[in-house]
Protein backbone atom coordinates (compact mmCIF):
# COMPACT_ATOMS: atom_id res chain seq x y z
CA UNK A 1 0.00 0.00 0.00
CA UNK A 2 1.07 3.68 0.23
CA UNK A 3 3.04 2.92 3.43
CA UNK A 4 5.17 0.16 1.86
CA UNK A 5 3.20 -2.55 3.68
CA UNK A 6 3.31 -5.81 1.75
CA UNK A 7 0.61 -8.47 1.68
CA UNK A 8 1.02 -11.99 0.42
CA UNK A 9 -1.34 -14.59 -1.00
CA UNK A 10 -0.36 -18.19 -1.63
CA UNK A 11 -1.94 -20.65 -4.07
CA UNK A 12 -1.69 -24.42 -4.14
CA UNK A 13 -2.97 -26.50 -7.04
CA UNK A 14 -3.83 -30.20 -6.99
CA UNK A 15 -5.33 -32.96 -9.13
CA UNK A 16 -4.66 -31.50 -12.57
CA UNK A 17 -6.42 -33.43 -15.33
CA UNK A 18 -6.01 -33.57 -19.12
CA UNK A 19 -9.28 -34.57 -20.78
CA UNK A 20 -8.95 -36.81 -23.87
CA UNK A 21 -12.01 -38.07 -25.70
CA UNK A 22 -10.48 -38.34 -29.15
CA UNK A 23 -7.76 -36.48 -31.12
CA UNK A 24 -10.27 -33.73 -31.96
CA UNK A 25 -11.82 -33.48 -28.49
CA UNK A 26 -9.09 -32.97 -25.90
CA UNK A 27 -8.00 -30.21 -23.55
CA UNK A 28 -6.59 -29.43 -20.12
CA UNK A 29 -9.62 -29.59 -17.83
CA UNK A 30 -8.05 -27.61 -15.00
CA UNK A 31 -7.28 -28.53 -11.41
CA UNK A 32 -9.58 -30.52 -9.17
CA UNK A 33 -8.72 -28.47 -6.07
CA UNK A 34 -7.22 -25.02 -5.56
CA UNK A 35 -6.19 -23.69 -2.13
CA UNK A 36 -5.81 -19.96 -1.49
CA UNK A 37 -4.19 -18.55 1.65
CA UNK A 38 -4.60 -14.81 2.23
CA UNK A 39 -2.36 -12.40 4.14
CA UNK A 40 -4.05 -13.33 7.45
CA UNK A 41 -3.53 -17.02 6.64
CA UNK A 42 -7.24 -17.68 6.18
CA UNK A 43 -7.68 -20.57 3.76
CA UNK A 44 -10.19 -21.12 0.96
CA UNK A 45 -10.39 -24.54 -0.67
CA UNK A 46 -12.30 -24.78 -3.94
CA UNK A 47 -13.16 -28.03 -5.73
CA UNK A 48 -13.88 -28.05 -9.47
CA UNK A 49 -15.58 -30.22 -12.07
CA UNK A 50 -13.15 -31.77 -14.55
CA UNK A 51 -15.16 -34.25 -16.60
CA UNK A 52 -13.53 -37.37 -15.16
CA UNK A 53 -15.09 -38.98 -12.07
CA UNK A 54 -17.96 -37.83 -9.85
CA UNK A 55 -17.09 -37.07 -6.22
CA UNK A 56 -20.67 -37.55 -4.97
CA UNK A 57 -19.73 -37.65 -1.27
CA UNK A 58 -18.46 -34.06 -1.48
CA UNK A 59 -21.39 -32.76 -3.52
CA UNK A 60 -20.16 -33.15 -7.09
CA UNK A 61 -23.14 -33.98 -9.30
CA UNK A 62 -22.92 -36.03 -12.52
CA UNK A 63 -19.52 -34.80 -13.68
CA UNK A 64 -19.13 -33.97 -17.39
CA UNK A 65 -16.49 -32.19 -19.43
CA UNK A 66 -18.94 -29.37 -20.21
CA UNK A 67 -18.85 -28.53 -16.47
CA UNK A 68 -15.05 -28.28 -16.31
CA UNK A 69 -14.02 -25.29 -14.23
CA UNK A 70 -17.34 -24.99 -12.37
CA UNK A 71 -16.82 -24.94 -8.58
CA UNK A 72 -18.96 -27.51 -6.78
CA UNK A 73 -17.55 -27.12 -3.27
CA UNK A 74 -16.03 -24.08 -1.53
CA UNK A 75 -14.69 -24.28 2.03
CA UNK A 76 -13.37 -21.36 4.09
CA UNK A 77 -11.12 -21.81 7.16
CA UNK A 78 -9.52 -19.39 9.60
CA UNK A 79 -5.78 -19.31 10.34
CA UNK A 80 -6.22 -22.17 12.83
CA UNK A 81 -7.90 -24.34 10.18
CA UNK A 82 -11.33 -24.03 11.81
CA UNK A 83 -14.08 -24.33 9.20
CA UNK A 84 -16.34 -21.24 9.12
CA UNK A 85 -18.30 -21.62 5.89
CA UNK A 86 -18.98 -24.15 3.16
CA UNK A 87 -20.96 -23.86 -0.07
CA UNK A 88 -22.00 -26.84 -2.20
CA UNK A 89 -23.18 -26.13 -5.73
CA UNK A 90 -25.14 -28.57 -7.86
CA UNK A 91 -24.45 -28.08 -11.57
CA UNK A 92 -26.68 -29.74 -14.13
CA UNK A 93 -26.52 -29.67 -17.93
CA UNK A 94 -28.94 -29.80 -20.84
CA UNK A 95 -27.73 -31.46 -24.05
CA UNK A 96 -28.19 -28.97 -26.90
CA UNK A 97 -26.94 -31.43 -29.51
CA UNK A 98 -23.86 -31.31 -31.76
CA UNK A 99 -21.59 -31.58 -28.73
CA UNK A 100 -22.96 -28.44 -27.04
CA UNK A 101 -24.37 -28.27 -23.51
CA UNK A 102 -26.23 -25.66 -21.47
CA UNK A 103 -24.58 -25.85 -18.03
CA UNK A 104 -26.74 -24.49 -15.22
CA UNK A 105 -26.55 -24.04 -11.46
CA UNK A 106 -29.70 -25.63 -10.03
CA UNK A 107 -28.99 -25.86 -6.26
CA UNK A 108 -26.68 -24.06 -3.86
CA UNK A 109 -26.46 -24.94 -0.16
CA UNK A 110 -24.51 -22.66 2.20
CA UNK A 111 -23.28 -23.89 5.61
CA UNK A 112 -22.34 -21.42 8.35
CA UNK A 113 -20.10 -22.43 11.29
CA UNK A 114 -18.82 -20.58 14.35
CA UNK A 115 -15.55 -22.44 14.75
CA UNK A 116 -16.87 -25.78 16.00
CA UNK A 117 -18.85 -28.68 14.51
CA UNK A 118 -22.42 -27.33 14.73
CA UNK A 119 -23.77 -25.31 11.81
CA UNK A 120 -26.80 -23.74 10.14
CA UNK A 121 -27.70 -24.04 6.46
CA UNK A 122 -29.68 -22.12 3.86
CA UNK A 123 -30.40 -23.09 0.27
CA UNK A 124 -31.25 -21.69 -3.16
CA UNK A 125 -32.81 -23.50 -6.12
CA UNK A 126 -32.95 -22.29 -9.74
CA UNK A 127 -35.03 -23.31 -12.77
CA UNK A 128 -34.35 -22.33 -16.39
CA UNK A 129 -35.77 -22.44 -19.88
CA UNK A 130 -33.35 -24.88 -21.48
CA UNK A 131 -33.98 -23.56 -24.99
CA UNK A 132 -33.15 -19.92 -24.20
CA UNK A 133 -31.01 -20.29 -21.07
CA UNK A 134 -33.21 -17.76 -19.26
CA UNK A 135 -33.75 -18.09 -15.51
CA UNK A 136 -37.46 -18.77 -14.92
CA UNK A 137 -37.65 -19.35 -11.17
CA UNK A 138 -35.59 -18.77 -8.05
CA UNK A 139 -36.50 -20.37 -4.71
CA UNK A 140 -34.95 -19.04 -1.48
CA UNK A 141 -35.56 -21.76 1.07
CA UNK A 142 -34.23 -19.91 4.08
CA UNK A 143 -33.17 -22.37 6.78
CA UNK A 144 -32.78 -25.98 5.67
CA UNK A 145 -31.23 -29.19 6.94
CA UNK A 146 -28.26 -29.78 4.65
CA UNK A 147 -26.00 -32.77 4.10
CA UNK A 148 -22.33 -32.87 3.14
CA UNK A 149 -23.22 -34.27 -0.28
CA UNK A 150 -25.28 -31.18 -1.16
CA UNK A 151 -28.77 -32.58 -0.56
CA UNK A 152 -31.13 -30.74 1.77
CA UNK A 153 -34.65 -30.69 3.22
CA UNK A 154 -36.64 -27.57 3.98
CA UNK A 155 -37.29 -26.39 7.54
CA UNK A 156 -39.78 -23.86 8.88
CA UNK A 157 -41.91 -21.52 6.78
CA UNK A 158 -39.42 -18.97 5.46
CA UNK A 159 -39.39 -19.97 1.78
CA UNK A 160 -39.74 -17.31 -0.93
CA UNK A 161 -40.32 -18.13 -4.60
CA UNK A 162 -39.63 -15.68 -7.42
CA UNK A 163 -41.16 -16.41 -10.82
CA UNK A 164 -39.67 -14.65 -13.83
CA UNK A 165 -41.19 -14.07 -17.26
CA UNK A 166 -39.82 -12.43 -20.40
CA UNK A 167 -41.28 -10.13 -23.02
CA UNK A 168 -42.16 -11.44 -26.46
CA UNK A 169 -40.01 -9.91 -29.18
CA UNK A 170 -42.02 -8.31 -32.00
CA UNK A 171 -38.90 -7.62 -34.09
CA UNK A 172 -39.00 -9.30 -37.51
CA UNK A 173 -35.65 -8.24 -39.01
CA UNK A 174 -33.37 -9.11 -36.10
CA UNK A 175 -32.78 -12.34 -34.15
CA UNK A 176 -35.09 -12.95 -31.20
CA UNK A 177 -33.97 -11.37 -27.96
CA UNK A 178 -35.24 -11.66 -24.40
CA UNK A 179 -36.09 -8.82 -22.04
CA UNK A 180 -37.28 -9.25 -18.48
CA UNK A 181 -41.06 -8.75 -18.31
CA UNK A 182 -42.08 -9.53 -14.73
CA UNK A 183 -40.60 -10.67 -11.43
CA UNK A 184 -43.09 -11.78 -8.80
CA UNK A 185 -42.14 -13.11 -5.36
CA UNK A 186 -44.50 -15.06 -3.10
CA UNK A 187 -43.98 -16.37 0.41
CA UNK A 188 -44.46 -19.93 1.67
CA UNK A 189 -48.23 -19.37 1.77
CA UNK A 190 -48.27 -18.16 -1.88
CA UNK A 191 -49.00 -14.58 -0.80
CA UNK A 192 -47.42 -11.97 -3.05
CA UNK A 193 -44.75 -9.92 -1.27
CA UNK A 194 -42.97 -8.23 -4.18
CA UNK A 195 -43.55 -7.59 -7.87
CA UNK A 196 -41.80 -5.68 -10.66
CA UNK A 197 -43.14 -5.19 -14.20
CA UNK A 198 -41.13 -3.93 -17.15
CA UNK A 199 -42.36 -2.22 -20.33
CA UNK A 200 -40.40 -1.66 -23.55
CA UNK A 201 -40.57 0.68 -26.53
CA UNK A 202 -43.89 2.24 -25.32
CA UNK A 203 -45.57 -1.08 -26.21
CA UNK A 204 -48.12 -3.00 -24.19
CA UNK A 205 -46.96 -5.08 -21.24
CA UNK A 206 -45.25 -8.30 -22.36
CA UNK A 207 -44.01 -7.01 -25.73
CA UNK A 208 -40.70 -5.57 -26.95
CA UNK A 209 -39.37 -4.47 -30.34
CA UNK A 210 -36.04 -2.68 -29.88
CA UNK A 211 -35.70 -3.52 -26.19
CA UNK A 212 -35.56 0.02 -24.75
CA UNK A 213 -37.12 -0.08 -21.28
CA UNK A 214 -39.65 2.76 -21.18
CA UNK A 215 -41.39 1.99 -17.87
CA UNK A 216 -40.76 -0.02 -14.71
CA UNK A 217 -43.55 -0.62 -12.18
CA UNK A 218 -43.03 -1.63 -8.54
CA UNK A 219 -45.95 -3.15 -6.67
CA UNK A 220 -47.06 -1.05 -3.70
CA UNK A 221 -50.10 -2.97 -2.46
CA UNK A 222 -53.54 -4.14 -3.63
CA UNK A 223 -53.66 -3.01 -7.30
CA UNK A 224 -51.38 0.00 -6.78
CA UNK A 225 -47.94 0.46 -8.36
CA UNK A 226 -45.31 3.17 -8.49
CA UNK A 227 -43.43 3.62 -11.75
CA UNK A 228 -40.25 4.93 -13.31
CA UNK A 229 -40.35 6.08 -16.94
CA UNK A 230 -37.77 6.74 -19.65
CA UNK A 231 -37.86 8.34 -23.09
CA UNK A 232 -35.28 7.64 -25.81
CA UNK A 233 -34.03 9.28 -28.98
CA UNK A 234 -33.48 7.54 -32.32
CA UNK A 235 -30.04 6.38 -31.17
CA UNK A 236 -31.45 4.53 -28.15
CA UNK A 237 -30.12 7.14 -25.71
CA UNK A 238 -32.21 8.24 -22.73
CA UNK A 239 -33.47 11.82 -23.16
CA UNK A 240 -35.84 11.94 -20.20
CA UNK A 241 -36.30 10.11 -16.89
CA UNK A 242 -39.42 10.46 -14.74
CA UNK A 243 -39.39 9.30 -11.10
CA UNK A 244 -42.43 7.95 -9.16
CA UNK A 245 -43.45 11.52 -8.26
CA UNK A 246 -43.38 12.47 -11.96
CA UNK A 247 -40.29 14.64 -11.44
CA UNK A 248 -38.37 14.85 -14.71
CA UNK A 249 -34.63 14.77 -15.44
CA UNK A 250 -33.65 15.52 -19.04
CA UNK A 251 -30.50 14.77 -21.04
CA UNK A 252 -29.15 16.38 -24.18
CA UNK A 253 -26.24 14.93 -26.14
CA UNK A 254 -23.27 16.13 -28.12
CA UNK A 255 -23.43 16.55 -31.88
CA UNK A 256 -22.36 12.94 -32.49
CA UNK A 257 -24.66 11.43 -29.82
CA UNK A 258 -21.73 9.90 -27.95
CA UNK A 259 -22.16 11.34 -24.43
CA UNK A 260 -24.52 13.60 -22.43
CA UNK A 261 -23.66 17.27 -23.02
CA UNK A 262 -26.20 18.62 -20.52
CA UNK A 263 -28.20 17.05 -17.70
CA UNK A 264 -31.09 19.07 -16.23
CA UNK A 265 -32.68 18.08 -12.92
CA UNK A 266 -36.39 18.47 -11.94
CA UNK A 267 -35.66 22.01 -10.66
CA UNK A 268 -34.45 22.98 -14.13
CA UNK A 269 -30.90 23.15 -12.83
CA UNK A 270 -28.23 21.99 -15.33
Amino acid sequence: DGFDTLSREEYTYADGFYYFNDPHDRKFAGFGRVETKDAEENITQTYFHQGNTTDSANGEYSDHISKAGKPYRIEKYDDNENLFSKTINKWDRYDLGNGASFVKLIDSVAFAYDGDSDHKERALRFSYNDSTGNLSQKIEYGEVSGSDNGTFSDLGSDKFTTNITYATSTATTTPAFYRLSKEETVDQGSTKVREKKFYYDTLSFGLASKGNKTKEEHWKGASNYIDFEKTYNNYGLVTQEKDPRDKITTYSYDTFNLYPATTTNPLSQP
Side-chain angles (χ1 to χ4, degrees), residues 191-209:
T191 300
K192 182 168 67 174
V193 295
R194 183 172 64 239
E195 182 186 9
K196 291 182 181 179
K197 298 168 72 176
F198 305 89
Y199 297 76
Y200 300 91
D201 310 306
T202 67
L203 296 175
S204 300
F205 174 69
L207 299 176
S209 57

mmCIF file of all heavy atoms in Angstrom, residues 191-209:
data_model
loop_
_atom_site.group_PDB
_atom_site.id
_atom_site.type_symbol
_atom_site.label_atom_id
_atom_site.label_comp_id
_atom_site.label_asym_id
_atom_site.label_seq_id
_atom_site.Cartn_x
_atom_site.Cartn_y
_atom_site.Cartn_z
ATOM 1 N N THR A 191 -48.562 -15.972 -0.849
ATOM 2 C CA THR A 191 -49.000 -14.576 -0.803
ATOM 3 C C THR A 191 -47.942 -13.687 -1.449
ATOM 4 O O THR A 191 -46.758 -13.797 -1.118
ATOM 5 C CB THR A 191 -49.226 -14.123 0.652
ATOM 6 O OG1 THR A 191 -50.234 -14.938 1.250
ATOM 7 C CG2 THR A 191 -49.654 -12.661 0.707
ATOM 8 N N LYS A 192 -48.370 -12.833 -2.355
ATOM 9 C CA LYS A 192 -47.424 -11.967 -3.054
ATOM 10 C C LYS A 192 -46.795 -10.973 -2.090
ATOM 11 O O LYS A 192 -47.489 -10.304 -1.337
ATOM 12 C CB LYS A 192 -48.110 -11.220 -4.194
ATOM 13 C CG LYS A 192 -47.177 -10.323 -4.998
ATOM 14 C CD LYS A 192 -47.807 -9.836 -6.289
ATOM 15 C CE LYS A 192 -48.968 -8.901 -6.074
ATOM 16 N NZ LYS A 192 -49.469 -8.336 -7.349
ATOM 17 N N VAL A 193 -45.465 -10.866 -2.133
ATOM 18 C CA VAL A 193 -44.755 -9.925 -1.266
ATOM 19 C C VAL A 193 -43.962 -8.897 -2.067
ATOM 20 O O VAL A 193 -43.565 -7.858 -1.541
ATOM 21 C CB VAL A 193 -43.805 -10.657 -0.294
ATOM 22 C CG1 VAL A 193 -44.601 -11.523 0.673
ATOM 23 C CG2 VAL A 193 -42.770 -11.493 -1.046
ATOM 24 N N ARG A 194 -43.724 -9.179 -3.357
ATOM 25 C CA ARG A 194 -42.971 -8.233 -4.182
ATOM 26 C C ARG A 194 -43.266 -8.511 -5.653
ATOM 27 O O ARG A 194 -43.436 -9.655 -6.056
ATOM 28 C CB ARG A 194 -41.467 -8.370 -3.917
ATOM 29 C CG ARG A 194 -40.600 -7.365 -4.676
ATOM 30 C CD ARG A 194 -39.146 -7.420 -4.241
ATOM 31 N NE ARG A 194 -38.525 -8.699 -4.557
ATOM 32 C CZ ARG A 194 -37.992 -9.505 -3.666
ATOM 33 N NH1 ARG A 194 -37.993 -9.169 -2.390
ATOM 34 N NH2 ARG A 194 -37.447 -10.653 -4.028
ATOM 35 N N GLU A 195 -43.326 -7.421 -6.435
ATOM 36 C CA GLU A 195 -43.548 -7.589 -7.868
ATOM 37 C C GLU A 195 -42.945 -6.407 -8.620
ATOM 38 O O GLU A 195 -43.035 -5.262 -8.174
ATOM 39 C CB GLU A 195 -45.037 -7.689 -8.195
ATOM 40 C CG GLU A 195 -45.319 -7.903 -9.666
ATOM 41 C CD GLU A 195 -46.803 -7.853 -9.992
ATOM 42 O OE1 GLU A 195 -47.603 -7.481 -9.103
ATOM 43 O OE2 GLU A 195 -47.152 -8.188 -11.133
ATOM 44 N N LYS A 196 -42.311 -6.709 -9.747
ATOM 45 C CA LYS A 196 -41.804 -5.681 -10.656
ATOM 46 C C LYS A 196 -42.272 -6.033 -12.061
ATOM 47 O O LYS A 196 -42.233 -7.186 -12.472
ATOM 48 C CB LYS A 196 -40.273 -5.614 -10.638
ATOM 49 C CG LYS A 196 -39.667 -5.087 -9.349
ATOM 50 C CD LYS A 196 -38.150 -5.018 -9.475
ATOM 51 C CE LYS A 196 -37.505 -4.525 -8.194
ATOM 52 N NZ LYS A 196 -36.014 -4.476 -8.324
ATOM 53 N N LYS A 197 -42.715 -5.001 -12.820
ATOM 54 C CA LYS A 197 -43.139 -5.191 -14.200
ATOM 55 C C LYS A 197 -42.353 -4.227 -15.085
ATOM 56 O O LYS A 197 -42.109 -3.079 -14.708
ATOM 57 C CB LYS A 197 -44.645 -4.946 -14.333
ATOM 58 C CG LYS A 197 -45.477 -5.919 -13.516
ATOM 59 C CD LYS A 197 -46.933 -5.488 -13.420
ATOM 60 C CE LYS A 197 -47.657 -5.668 -14.715
ATOM 61 N NZ LYS A 197 -49.109 -5.338 -14.585
ATOM 62 N N PHE A 198 -41.983 -4.701 -16.271
ATOM 63 C CA PHE A 198 -41.129 -3.926 -17.151
ATOM 64 C C PHE A 198 -41.808 -3.771 -18.518
ATOM 65 O O PHE A 198 -42.333 -4.736 -19.074
ATOM 66 C CB PHE A 198 -39.770 -4.618 -17.321
ATOM 67 C CG PHE A 198 -39.082 -4.901 -16.010
ATOM 68 C CD1 PHE A 198 -39.314 -6.102 -15.342
ATOM 69 C CD2 PHE A 198 -38.230 -3.981 -15.434
ATOM 70 C CE1 PHE A 198 -38.690 -6.377 -14.132
ATOM 71 C CE2 PHE A 198 -37.599 -4.241 -14.228
ATOM 72 C CZ PHE A 198 -37.833 -5.435 -13.573
ATOM 73 N N TYR A 199 -41.761 -2.538 -19.042
ATOM 74 C CA TYR A 199 -42.364 -2.217 -20.333
ATOM 75 C C TYR A 199 -41.268 -1.719 -21.276
ATOM 76 O O TYR A 199 -40.322 -1.055 -20.843
ATOM 77 C CB TYR A 199 -43.424 -1.135 -20.184
ATOM 78 C CG TYR A 199 -44.604 -1.518 -19.325
ATOM 79 C CD1 TYR A 199 -44.495 -1.557 -17.935
ATOM 80 C CD2 TYR A 199 -45.839 -1.828 -19.894
ATOM 81 C CE1 TYR A 199 -45.583 -1.897 -17.133
ATOM 82 C CE2 TYR A 199 -46.937 -2.161 -19.105
ATOM 83 C CZ TYR A 199 -46.799 -2.196 -17.729
ATOM 84 O OH TYR A 199 -47.872 -2.530 -16.936
ATOM 85 N N TYR A 200 -41.443 -2.000 -22.577
ATOM 86 C CA TYR A 200 -40.404 -1.665 -23.546
ATOM 87 C C TYR A 200 -41.001 -0.945 -24.762
ATOM 88 O O TYR A 200 -42.108 -1.285 -25.218
ATOM 89 C CB TYR A 200 -39.681 -2.928 -24.011
ATOM 90 C CG TYR A 200 -39.011 -3.665 -22.875
ATOM 91 C CD1 TYR A 200 -39.686 -4.663 -22.179
ATOM 92 C CD2 TYR A 200 -37.714 -3.348 -22.465
ATOM 93 C CE1 TYR A 200 -39.083 -5.331 -21.114
ATOM 94 C CE2 TYR A 200 -37.107 -4.009 -21.408
ATOM 95 C CZ TYR A 200 -37.797 -4.995 -20.740
ATOM 96 O OH TYR A 200 -37.209 -5.657 -19.685
ATOM 97 N N ASP A 201 -40.273 0.032 -25.246
ATOM 98 C CA ASP A 201 -40.567 0.677 -26.532
ATOM 99 C C ASP A 201 -41.975 1.248 -26.604
ATOM 100 O O ASP A 201 -42.593 1.279 -27.676
ATOM 101 C CB ASP A 201 -40.355 -0.331 -27.671
ATOM 102 C CG ASP A 201 -38.998 -1.024 -27.577
ATOM 103 O OD1 ASP A 201 -37.983 -0.325 -27.513
ATOM 104 O OD2 ASP A 201 -38.972 -2.279 -27.534
ATOM 105 N N THR A 202 -42.519 1.695 -25.448
ATOM 106 C CA THR A 202 -43.887 2.237 -25.320
ATOM 107 C C THR A 202 -44.949 1.245 -25.795
ATOM 108 O O THR A 202 -46.077 1.638 -26.112
ATOM 109 C CB THR A 202 -44.043 3.576 -26.080
ATOM 110 O OG1 THR A 202 -43.922 3.349 -27.487
ATOM 111 C CG2 THR A 202 -43.007 4.589 -25.621
ATOM 112 N N LEU A 203 -44.610 -0.040 -25.820
ATOM 113 C CA LEU A 203 -45.567 -1.075 -26.211
ATOM 114 C C LEU A 203 -46.338 -1.579 -25.000
ATOM 115 O O LEU A 203 -46.020 -1.252 -23.845
ATOM 116 C CB LEU A 203 -44.834 -2.238 -26.875
ATOM 117 C CG LEU A 203 -44.113 -1.932 -28.186
ATOM 118 C CD1 LEU A 203 -43.327 -3.158 -28.648
ATOM 119 C CD2 LEU A 203 -45.093 -1.490 -29.266
ATOM 120 N N SER A 204 -47.342 -2.402 -25.265
ATOM 121 C CA SER A 204 -48.125 -3.001 -24.187
ATOM 122 C C SER A 204 -47.250 -3.939 -23.362
ATOM 123 O O SER A 204 -46.217 -4.442 -23.828
ATOM 124 C CB SER A 204 -49.313 -3.774 -24.767
ATOM 125 O OG SER A 204 -50.168 -2.927 -25.506
ATOM 126 N N PHE A 205 -47.684 -4.198 -22.142
ATOM 127 C CA PHE A 205 -46.956 -5.084 -21.243
ATOM 128 C C PHE A 205 -46.772 -6.453 -21.887
ATOM 129 O O PHE A 205 -47.698 -7.030 -22.452
ATOM 130 C CB PHE A 205 -47.712 -5.233 -19.922
ATOM 131 C CG PHE A 205 -47.103 -6.235 -18.988
ATOM 132 C CD1 PHE A 205 -45.877 -5.993 -18.388
ATOM 133 C CD2 PHE A 205 -47.757 -7.432 -18.717
ATOM 134 C CE1 PHE A 205 -45.310 -6.919 -17.533
ATOM 135 C CE2 PHE A 205 -47.199 -8.359 -17.857
ATOM 136 C CZ PHE A 205 -45.964 -8.095 -17.267
ATOM 137 N N GLY A 206 -45.547 -6.976 -21.820
ATOM 138 C CA GLY A 206 -45.246 -8.295 -22.356
ATOM 139 C C GLY A 206 -44.699 -8.294 -23.759
ATOM 140 O O GLY A 206 -44.404 -9.363 -24.300
ATOM 141 N N LEU A 207 -44.522 -7.092 -24.363
ATOM 142 C CA LEU A 207 -44.006 -7.012 -25.727
ATOM 143 C C LEU A 207 -42.751 -6.139 -25.764
ATOM 144 O O LEU A 207 -42.570 -5.254 -24.928
ATOM 145 C CB LEU A 207 -45.055 -6.415 -26.674
ATOM 146 C CG LEU A 207 -46.370 -7.181 -26.823
ATOM 147 C CD1 LEU A 207 -47.327 -6.400 -27.712
ATOM 148 C CD2 LEU A 207 -46.128 -8.577 -27.385
ATOM 149 N N ALA A 208 -41.897 -6.383 -26.753
ATOM 150 C CA ALA A 208 -40.703 -5.570 -26.951
ATOM 151 C C ALA A 208 -40.322 -5.619 -28.420
ATOM 152 O O ALA A 208 -40.477 -6.653 -29.067
ATOM 153 C CB ALA A 208 -39.549 -6.068 -26.086
ATOM 154 N N SER A 209 -39.834 -4.491 -28.948
ATOM 155 C CA SER A 209 -39.372 -4.467 -30.339
ATOM 156 C C SER A 209 -37.878 -4.192 -30.391
ATOM 157 O O SER A 209 -37.096 -5.040 -30.807
ATOM 158 C CB SER A 209 -40.152 -3.429 -31.149
ATOM 159 O OG SER A 209 -40.046 -2.135 -30.568
#
